[in-house]
Amino acid sequence: MIWSLPLTPLFYDCRETPMTNDSALKPATLAANMPGNEPADGAVVPAWQPATTYENRAESGFSYLRGDGPVFADAERRLAALEGGSNALLFASGMAAADAVFRSLHAGSHVIIPEVMYWALRGWLNDDRSHLDLRVDMVANGDARALRNALKPGETALVWIETPANPTWEVTDIAEAASLAHEAGAMLAVDSTVATPILTRPIEFGADLVMHSATKYLNGHSDVLAGALVSARNDAFWLRIQNCRTQGGAVPGTFEAWLLVRGMRTLAVRVERASTNAQVLAERLQNHPGVVEVLYPGLADHPGHDIASAQMQGGFSGMMSIRVAGGLNGAARVAASTRLFRQATSLGGVESLIEHRAPVEGPGSPVPDDLLRLSVGIEDADDLFADLDQALRSVPQA
Ligand SMILES: Cc1ncc(COP(=O)(O)O)c(C=O)c1O
């Protein structure tokens, strides 16, 4: 059963995340130095406020931290401005943010998700959804005809896409998905964790909701677990999501929220550098004798390159995958042989990570056995290539 969510919150004051008056400012400026977010005491750095409760007479309007708090509000204002949305909400994790979207749908709703998407969310929606009471259909990533056929006008409440899609990096045309969803009366939600608002702002292409695992690029230092949603409008569905967060209590700690703001201030330079490094590595690895295929939307022969070029500005992200010679065992050997690329899950941090996905995702995963996911960090590109090159020498060379 889906939760029954009263539309009048118990103690959440429902203040809107104020829209910035500086909408002409570019994302790099908004991330690093957003006007209107300065602390009243003149500090150039936002303060950490750990309080869980506020006096009723306080002018701030804050009441209880499960509903809202100043550090959350700071991060949410920045993110709403960066995404060009009206409101944003922080959550305890990316999964908690996605969970709030699906729980806020009416019981029995039909939703469409892609075949390739963050595997734990796909698994949770497909295998364990008895508690959600949703009808879920999957379509091939970026296949507009399949999406059109799967939509049930009047019944489909939500189309969920992820672009580029983790971990094979298919690209979906956001504007096309939005217009198909809207024609059928459905909303479009985009997991934009990998693109970040530095490269793509899905709301500009018609998306209704944007989701982030803020654990990844938004924070960028592999030391915060958090999630976020941004809404194009302050509508009834957004109010249900707000209630879901307040009553479900899936908020981050105040220190995590503060660290997230700190991380977001350097978002633009980190994403730009990681994207530049990934592009260099993708081009060099294409010609490597130990590599069977490079999956990266920044390569001209990637099937989604043209769409990615139209909806990603300034780079194609730091995320890529390589298929290596020697199959499952070859991939395991390479992953165990890198030194700079740390063998670990997660992505979007300043340090480079490598992960053999098939053993992680298990049976039923669409990920090939020989695929290694690379989260390219901000180190020196030559050093990163040398590290991969020596590790790739452990598999048969073509
Ligand atoms: C694309 C994507 N979406 C969502 C998530 C879930 O985020 P979290 O781990 O913060 O719950 C992840 C985590 O790896 C992810 O890669």
Side-chain angles (χ1 to χ4, degrees):
M1 267 302 283
I2 198 158
W3 291 359
S4 148
L5 298 169
L7 285 181
T8 316
L10 297 177
F11 44 74
Y12 183 63
D13 71 4
C14 277
R15 281 161 308 129
E16 279 192 45
T17 309
M19 286 272 278
T20 174
N21 294 326
D22 301 282
S23 49
L25 294 176
K26 301 284 190 297
T29 310
L30 291 170
N33 185 14
M34 183 178 156
N37 250 18
E38 302 86 358
D41 61 6
V44 297
V45 172
W48 173 46
Q49 172 49 268
T52 55
T53 193
Y54 291 81
E55 286 192 60
N56 295 345
R57 62 185 175 211
E59 278 177 17
S60 67
F62 294 116
S63 161
Y64 186 59
L65 193 63
R66 182 148 50 77
D68 203 358
V71 200
F72 296 175
D74 184 335
E76 289 163 356
R77 269 197 299 271
R78 273 175 214 264
L79 192 55
L82 276 168
E83 289 286 7
S86 74
N87 300 76
L89 283 173
L90 289 193
F91 288 83
S93 68
M95 282 295 277
D99 173 85
V101 174
F102 289 100
R103 278 189 199 281
S104 299
L105 296 169
H106 290 288
S109 293
H110 177 241
V111 305
I112 300 174
I113 61 172
E115 284 170 3
V116 179
M117 62 187 289
Y118 174 55
W119 72 290
L121 182 56
R122 186 186 62 229
W124 180 78
L125 286 168
N126 264 328
D127 309 333
D128 313 326
R129 67 168 177 276
S130 48
H131 55 292
L132 269 182
D133 196 8
L134 298 174
R135 289 171 294 145
V136 180
D137 277 325
M138 279 201 297
V139 296
N141 294 58
D143 185 339
R145 186 193 299 217
L147 176 57
R148 187 181 282 110
N149 291 340
L151 280 160
K152 300 180 198 296
E155 291 178 52
T156 308
L158 181 77
V159 175
W160 180 276
I161 61 171
E162 180 179 317
T163 183
N166 184 4
T168 41
W169 317 116
E170 286 84 356
V171 174
T172 299
D173 185 331
I174 302 171
E176 185 174 52
S179 103
L180 289 172
H182 294 162
E183 270 169 33
M187 294 176 285
L188 180 77
V190 181
D191 182 340
S192 199
T193 297
V194 166
T196 82
I198 301 302
L199 305 179
T200 304
R201 285 162 294 286
I203 290 170
E204 288 176 4
F205 295 96
D208 302 286
L209 283 171
V210 181
M211 176 259 167
H212 287 278
S213 167
T215 315
K216 311 297 190 295
Y217 286 103
L218 291 185
N219 176 60
H221 294 76
S222 307
D223 54 10
V224 166
L225 192 72
L229 293 174
V230 184
S231 179
R233 289 169 301 283
N234 191 22
D235 56 12
F237 189 67
W238 185 246
L239 187 57
R240 288 172 70 83
I241 289 176
Q242 282 179 332
N243 281 320
C244 190
R245 184 185 78 161
T246 300
Q247 290 157 9
V251 289
T254 54
F255 189 57
E256 281 72 15
W258 184 85
L259 276 176
L260 176 59
V261 171
R262 181 187 166 116
M264 279 170 61
R265 296 174 71 207
T266 56
L267 179 66
V269 280
R270 287 186 287 102
V271 169
E272 284 159 14
R273 172 65 175 242
S275 301
T276 306
N277 279 354
Q279 185 74 37
V280 169
L281 294 186
E283 287 170 12
R284 291 193 197 169
L285 289 167
Q286 264 194 318
N287 303 316
H288 197 287
V291 173
V292 174
E293 189 183 2
V294 178
L295 307 174
Y296 186 62
L299 294 175
D301 62 359
H302 184 282
H305 179 71
D306 291 345
I307 296 163
S309 302
Q311 68 189 23
M312 299 180 85
Q313 284 101 43
F316 298 90
S317 95
M319 293 308 301
M320 57 184 284
S321 295
I322 50 175
R323 299 185 62 186
V324 301
L328 186 80
N329 293 337
R333 264 205 304 283
V334 174
S337 308
T338 54
R339 212 161 59 88
L340 290 178
F341 276 86
R342 312 284 186 91
Q343 192 177 0
T345 198
S346 201
L347 57 96
V350 293
E351 66 287 315
S352 293
L353 302 180
I354 187 165
E355 189 175 36
H356 189 190
R357 284 303 295 178
V360 174
E361 300 201 8
S365 160
V367 177
D369 281 352
D370 58 3
L371 181 139
L372 292 171
R373 186 179 77 183
L374 306 180
S375 174
V376 180
I378 64 169
E379 306 93 329
D380 182 90
D382 290 336
D383 288 343
L384 292 177
F385 180 74
D387 188 37
L388 291 171
D389 180 40
Q390 63 78 26
L392 283 162
R393 301 286 163 195
S394 65
V395 295
Q397 310 289 296

